[in-house]
Amino acid sequence: MQRARALFLATALAGCSVGPDYRPQSPAELGVPAGFSVPAAPDAADLTRWWNRFDDPVLGRLVEQAAGANTDLAQSVARLRQARESLLQSRSQLLPTVSGSTGYQRNENLRGGGRSFTLPDGTVVDTGGGGTNSFSLGLSASWQVGIFGELRRTVEATRAQYEAAGFDYAAVLLSVQSEVARNYVIARGLQAQLANARASLAIQDDNLDIAGFRVQAGLVSSLDSEQARSQRAQTAATIPSLEQQYNAAVSRLGVLTGQAPGALKPELAATRPIPLAPATVGIGIPADILRRRPDVRSAERALAAATAQIGVAKARLYPALAITGNINTNATSIGNIGDAITGGLFAGLTQAIFNGGRLRSAVRTQEAAADAALAAYKGTVLLALEDIENAIVALTTAQARTREFTVALDAANNSAILSRSQYRSGLTDFTTLNQQETALLSARNGLTQARADAAAAQVALFVALGGGWDATTVPQAPPRVLPAGTNARPVPVTTTTPASETR
């Protein structure tokens, strides 16, 4: 009865947990404003698969391929699996540890210890002492009760760390998706600039021929021919640089999709326009980022883990209860192994009496870590708001530049056509024609760059809004995929419970 009471008391005390209970921060406590400082559509759009908004099958295929083969994502998956195993290990500490043992021993007298027998005929015979057998079985168990909640706080911390690792994976996923889309836009933009340069080069070849004919006819000096030759060479000199940049973008896409740098060159060789999504996108309210941004949710889980670690440190200031027990049997033969069984039960409390303030210093250390985690959480939220507003402004300005460069291109094209016609007729000099051709190339490249900037700003906005993953789930670690080296994506849980409410 006394032992039963002691166990009941230990179980009751095990329900106590010292240290602060984690409470999620409200948007107001994190400094989240009610609205953005730039114009933003109030209704949040579904951006789970934002790349489909560009209506570019090649881009969609590259994003999907990178999600399954990118090496950074494979490392993130491995870290997520490690976090899951840490959680399983911490949970196992809540349960008793049981171990068994068995043994067999044979003893033989090598010298002495024998017996003598006298036969009926008077002969004395010496015999050995003979050997003995010994069989043993044992079972032992130990249980660290954790009466002040140090074990449950440890589980709470590792669970939060596991969830944070899942959100870290989602953040890496979004980063990889944005890098794929950004480099794809760069590649298509450089293709357009190469086309512009080659079209300009063809016109300048024609201008060089016209200037040569006019010099031979004595209508103009050789200055026109030299200017035409210089302008053509300068335009031709831009092509190798553009080709180098294009090769770098395509090589980057190959690596992002888990392939050799040149693997995608044949697929991307055909020139395609710069992809553009619809001009407007629903932004929502700033508080939405607390749910949609995986980096914000990871920071929140890191704060929860740091808060739980305070309880772990505080519990070490109080007594620790350990219960151990064992059952043993020992016999000279297997047949009578159960004839004699012994057992024991021990419960002990340990309490730190003097440690030079080390344990209390550990508590203050964890409190400081929690303060740092809270500051990091707030900083991540504010950085997310900054990303969104910067992307909104970048998209707005790029769209405005696109409209103006469209007008400029139309005007420059008309001016170049008129100047070329007038030069052929001798109504203007080559300097004027050269200026108009330069303005035409500049307008073409300006429009191309504005469109590329608009597409890049759309990608940045989609990612800043937390698009590219299912924000209603907490990513979970998948089982290991064989053969080794095969990449796998975490399988999301089906629950829609926010991470801040998961216990």
Side-chain angles (χ1 to χ4, degrees):
M1 181 62 70
Q2 291 178 349
R3 287 194 296 268
R5 289 174 180 173
L7 291 175
F8 177 78
L9 178 61
T11 304
L13 289 174
C16 303
S17 294
V18 298
D21 292 324
Y22 176 70
R23 179 185 62 84
Q25 303 289 312
S26 67
E29 291 173 316
L30 296 171
V32 179
F36 292 101
S37 63
V38 296
D43 297 328
D46 182 9
L47 301 176
T48 304
R49 299 178 62 84
W50 53 262
W51 50 90
N52 290 338
R53 290 172 167 258
F54 289 95
D55 195 23
D56 189 317
V58 177
L59 172 60
R61 184 165 59 253
L62 292 178
V63 171
E64 295 287 350
Q65 187 173 357
N70 182 266
T71 55
D72 290 337
L73 281 173
Q75 296 177 58
S76 183
V77 170
R79 288 191 291 269
L80 182 57
R81 287 173 39 222
Q82 287 177 322
R84 178 189 60 190
E85 298 307 321
S86 295
L87 175 59
L88 294 177
Q89 292 168 25
S90 64
R91 282 176 174 170
S92 67
Q93 296 177 11
L94 297 173
L95 303 174
T97 300
V98 180
S99 59
S101 63
T102 182
Y104 166 72
Q105 181 176 344
R106 172 73 178 178
N107 293 323
E108 289 284 353
N109 291 323
L110 300 180
R111 182 177 180 181
R115 291 180 296 174
S116 299
F117 296 92
T118 303
L119 299 180
D121 60 358
T123 304
V124 178
V125 178
D126 294 327
T127 63
T132 60
N133 294 320
S134 176
F135 299 90
S136 64
L137 290 176
L139 187 67
S140 62
S142 62
W143 183 28
Q144 190 73 29
V145 180
I147 55 178
F148 291 98
E150 62 268 27
L151 300 181
R152 283 178 305 285
R153 290 299 191 192
T154 301
V155 172
E156 182 181 343
T158 52
R159 181 185 293 113
Q161 291 166 353
Y162 175 44
E163 292 167 346
F167 294 130
D168 288 340
Y169 161 81
V172 174
L173 175 63
L174 268 60
S175 176
V176 170
Q177 291 170 345
S178 67
E179 277 294 293
V180 170
R182 188 179 67 84
N183 281 275
Y184 183 80
V185 168
I186 291 174
R188 294 308 186 191
L190 289 168
Q191 282 183 335
Q193 290 189 33
L194 282 168
N196 293 341
R198 287 167 180 150
S200 241
L201 193 61
I203 294 174
Q204 289 168 10
D205 284 336
D206 188 44
N207 291 342
L208 180 59
D209 291 339
I210 295 173
F213 294 148
R214 290 176 63 81
V215 170
Q216 291 177 3
L219 300 176
V220 294
S221 69
S222 60
L223 179 61
D224 285 11
S225 177
E226 292 303 315
Q227 285 182 334
R229 194 160 65 94
S230 174
Q231 183 62 30
R232 184 201 179 279
Q234 291 182 34
T235 302
T238 63
I239 292 179
S241 176
L242 293 173
E243 289 176 337
Q244 181 270 328
Q245 296 175 55
Y246 171 76
N247 181 79
V250 175
S251 297
R252 184 63 187 149
L253 285 171
V255 174
L256 286 170
T257 54
Q259 303 176 80
L264 295 175
K265 289 182 178 179
E267 183 178 356
L268 299 179
T271 301
R272 291 178 62 92
I274 298 172
L276 284 174
T280 59
V281 58
I283 305 299
I285 60 176
D288 287 342
I289 64 171
L290 302 181
R291 175 180 57 86
R292 293 161 58 180
R293 289 271 300 224
D295 55 343
V296 171
R297 295 178 68 174
S298 175
E300 185 271 338
R301 290 287 82 199
L303 174 59
T307 303
Q309 289 291 353
I310 297 175
V312 175
K314 282 190 173 182
R316 296 193 179 103
L317 299 172
Y318 299 95
L321 173 63
I323 300 175
T324 60
N326 62 81
I327 299 176
N328 295 287
T329 182
N330 196 359
T332 57
S333 66
I334 297 179
N336 60 0
I337 194 70
D339 290 349
I341 299 176
T342 61
L345 180 65
F346 173 79
L349 283 173
T350 58
Q351 169 65 58
I353 297 176
F354 176 77
N355 50 66
R358 177 176 55 85
L359 295 181
R360 294 191 180 278
S361 176
V363 174
R364 294 191 295 270
T365 298
Q366 293 302 327
E367 290 173 342
D371 292 339
L374 176 58
Y377 182 26
K378 291 181 177 180
T380 304
V381 170
L382 296 177
L383 181 61
L385 292 172
E386 180 186 7
D387 290 343
I388 294 173
E389 294 202 359
N390 287 343
I392 292 174
V393 173
L395 177 58
T396 302
T397 56
Q399 290 171 343
R401 288 167 49 219
T402 300
R403 291 191 296 268
E404 296 302 329
F405 272 117
T406 301
V407 176
L409 177 59
D410 183 62
N413 188 53
N414 292 336
S415 297
I417 293 174
L418 291 173
S419 296
R420 197 176 301 117
S421 176
Q422 290 176 354
Y423 182 71
R424 286 175 181 272
S425 304
L427 300 177
T428 188
D429 57 10
F430 188 82
T431 300
T432 302
L433 174 60
N434 190 28
Q435 290 174 346
Q436 298 305 319
E437 294 289 357
T438 302
L440 175 59
L441 178 58
S442 177
R444 283 176 173 168
N445 285 336
L447 179 59
T448 298
Q449 189 61 52
R451 287 173 174 168
D453 290 345
Q458 287 177 323
V459 172
L461 179 58
F462 293 152
V463 175
L465 292 173
W469 72 299
D470 187 358
T472 63
T473 63
V474 180
Q476 301 291 303
R480 186 180 183 187
V481 179
L482 297 176
T486 303
N487 298 328
R489 298 178 61 186
V491 180
V493 295
T494 56
T495 178
T496 57
T497 303
S500 60
E501 297 176 6
T502 304
R503 290 291 180 267

